[in-house]
């Protein structure tokens, strides 16, 4: 059977049952060491998933968030796809292609033949993890790579979503017709290097400098893409106290958002070697996919 496009209900949540009969995809051990497994169906939030259109596939978000409100998405370990790469929950949304075939769906790492599958527990407990597996024929997936889906209605979330709203927000493309990247413009994103370990961060001391630091939950590492003309302005979630009109008027939480929005720009003329900095003056950047990996931007 030829795979067909998957059209999820906007804002709806889904149960994903593995076709091998091993249970429903579940986020487990949320507040200890979050991981993924297939468990007996119970319809709780940790077994419900939403599909958020990213313009190049779907970010797959669990309806159960952590106690501190962090949303979890399906991701891969290490940032590189290969056979038996483990699927893990992450606070950083990644895109997967989703298609319908043989009464279920297959979730494919973009531009590859690797799909999300359930390992075989006969070869040990770790072998039964949710992982990537090589798909020989997309029209005839093995049962462990096929997921029967059932819409639960919705939206239902245990905590605010990545967009801070009660339902997933679809991305808005830039106005130019040839732009081929779309991001969730109401969400805040981490911009990491290719290792997935280091993220772009606003320097809190200078309130202007940009550097790479080990990825964390710091708001200084979170960025929002705002459609602007032929591209996007890239806004930091953490407004600098030096640039805010409310500077010095509040203390306490260092993650307070203010009216002093900061945007990525360059220091001086646009030329090779120019320093990228954050200022209150937004400029538009053209954002493109970086090669075959749909989760890489340039």
């Amino acid at each position: 059977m030829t795979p067909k496009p998957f059209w999820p209900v906007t804002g709806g949540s889904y149960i994903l049952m593995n076709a091998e009969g091993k249970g429903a995809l579940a986020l487990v051990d949320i507040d200890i060491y979050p991981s993924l497994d297939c468990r007996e169906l119970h319809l709780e939030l940790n077994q419900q998933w939403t599909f958020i259109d990213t313009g190049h596939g779907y970010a797959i978000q669990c309806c159960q968030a952590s106690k501190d409100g962090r949303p979890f998405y399906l991701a891969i370990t290490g940032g590189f796809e290969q056979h038996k790469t483990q699927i893990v929950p992450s606070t950083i949304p990644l895109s997967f292609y989703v298609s319908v075939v043989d009464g279920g769906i297959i979730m494919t790492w973009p531009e590859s033949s690797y799909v999300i599958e359930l390992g075989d527990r006969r070869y040990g407990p770790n072998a039964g993890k949710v992982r990537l597996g090589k798909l020989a024929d997309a029209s005839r997936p093995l049962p462990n790579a096929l997921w029967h889906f059932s819409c639960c209605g919705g939206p239902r979330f245990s905590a605010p979503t990545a967009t801070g709203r009660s339902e997933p927000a679809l991305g808005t493309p830039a106005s130019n017709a040839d732009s081929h990247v779309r991001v969730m413009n109401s969400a805040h994103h981490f911009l990491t290097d290719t290792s997935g370990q280091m993220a772009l961060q606003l320097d809190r001391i200078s309130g202007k400098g940009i550097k790479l630091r080990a990825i964390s939950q710091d708001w200084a590492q979170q960025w929002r893409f705002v459609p602007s003309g032929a591209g996007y302005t890239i806004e930091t979630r953490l407004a600098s106290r030096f640039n805010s009109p409310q500077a010095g008027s509040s203390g306490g939480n260092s993650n307070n958002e203010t009216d002093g929005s900061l945007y990525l720009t360059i220091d001086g003329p646009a030329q090779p070697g120019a320093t990228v900095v954050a200022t209150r003056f937004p400029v538009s950047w053209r954002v493109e996919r970086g090669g075959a990996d749909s989760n890489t931007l340039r």
Side-chain angles (χ1 to χ4, degrees):
M1 181 180 295
T2 302
K4 299 178 180 180
F6 175 61
W7 302 104
V9 175
T10 301
S13 60
Y14 289 81
I15 298 294
L16 302 177
M17 296 286 296
N18 190 260
E20 270 196 333
K22 300 292 180 63
L25 183 64
L27 176 64
V28 298
D29 299 329
I30 298 170
D31 296 309
I32 305 173
Y33 189 81
S35 61
L36 299 166
D37 202 352
C38 277
R39 297 289 173 87
E40 182 179 352
L41 182 63
H42 51 64
L43 299 178
E44 296 297 330
L45 291 177
N46 69 316
Q47 285 188 340
Q48 297 188 36
W49 303 84
T50 62
F51 293 81
I52 304 174
D53 185 1
T54 65
H56 201 70
Y58 293 93
I60 304 171
Q61 179 185 347
C62 185
C63 291
Q64 177 70 59
S66 65
K67 287 183 178 179
D68 58 3
R70 292 180 299 156
F72 288 108
Y73 305 87
L74 296 189
I76 63 175
T77 54
F80 301 97
E81 83 283 359
Q82 59 183 1
H83 188 56
K84 297 185 180 180
T85 294
Q86 190 172 342
I87 302 294
V88 295
S90 171
T91 56
I92 304 173
L94 300 182
S95 293
F96 289 87
Y97 291 163
V98 183
S99 54
V100 178
V101 61
D102 198 21
I105 61 172
I106 53 176
M107 295 170 282
T108 309
W109 184 254
E111 312 295 344
S112 80
S113 58
Y114 293 104
V115 297
I116 297 178
E117 67 174 21
L118 184 65
D120 194 336
R121 285 186 171 83
R122 291 179 300 176
Y123 298 101
N126 291 330
K129 296 292 185 181
V130 183
R131 66 187 190 186
L132 285 182
K134 190 82 169 179
L135 184 65
D137 184 354
S139 65
R140 301 178 62 185
L142 295 175
N144 69 326
L146 184 67
W147 302 84
H148 296 303
F149 60 98
S150 177
C151 185
C152 301
R156 293 177 62 200
F157 291 95
S158 64
T161 67
T163 63
R165 307 192 323 187
S166 60
E167 66 178 38
L170 300 184
T172 301
S175 60
N176 58 313
D178 64 342
S179 176
H180 53 278
V181 62
R182 181 162 62 168
V183 296
M184 293 179 287
N185 59 37
S186 295
H188 288 91
H189 303 262
F190 293 87
L191 303 179
T192 69
D193 62 3
T194 55
S195 73
Q197 305 300 314
M198 305 291 286
L200 208 62
Q201 178 173 312
L202 172 68
D203 181 18
R204 289 176 176 271
I205 298 176
S206 68
K208 180 179 179 180
I210 305 296
K211 54 191 177 183
L212 277 177
R213 290 291 183 266
I215 193 167
S216 67
Q217 294 300 314
D218 196 323
W219 281 14
Q221 290 186 354
Q222 299 181 37
W223 305 86
R224 186 165 69 100
F225 290 76
V226 182
S228 174
Y232 293 86
T233 60
I234 305 173
E235 178 186 15
T236 177
R237 186 174 186 181
L238 181 68
S240 171
R241 66 182 185 274
F242 301 106
N243 291 296
S244 169
Q246 303 173 5
S249 64
S250 63
N253 187 353
S254 60
N255 274 348
N256 284 334
E257 289 187 276
T258 73
D259 293 332
S261 298
L262 294 173
Y263 305 86
L264 286 188
T265 185
I266 58 173
D267 191 11
Q271 60 185 10
T275 302
V276 175
V277 296
T279 73
R280 292 192 64 191
F281 305 101
V283 297
S284 184
W285 297 82
R286 181 176 175 84
V287 182
E288 300 175 329
R289 299 289 175 191
D293 185 351
S294 71
N295 296 298
T296 302
L297 303 177
R298 61 185 180 189

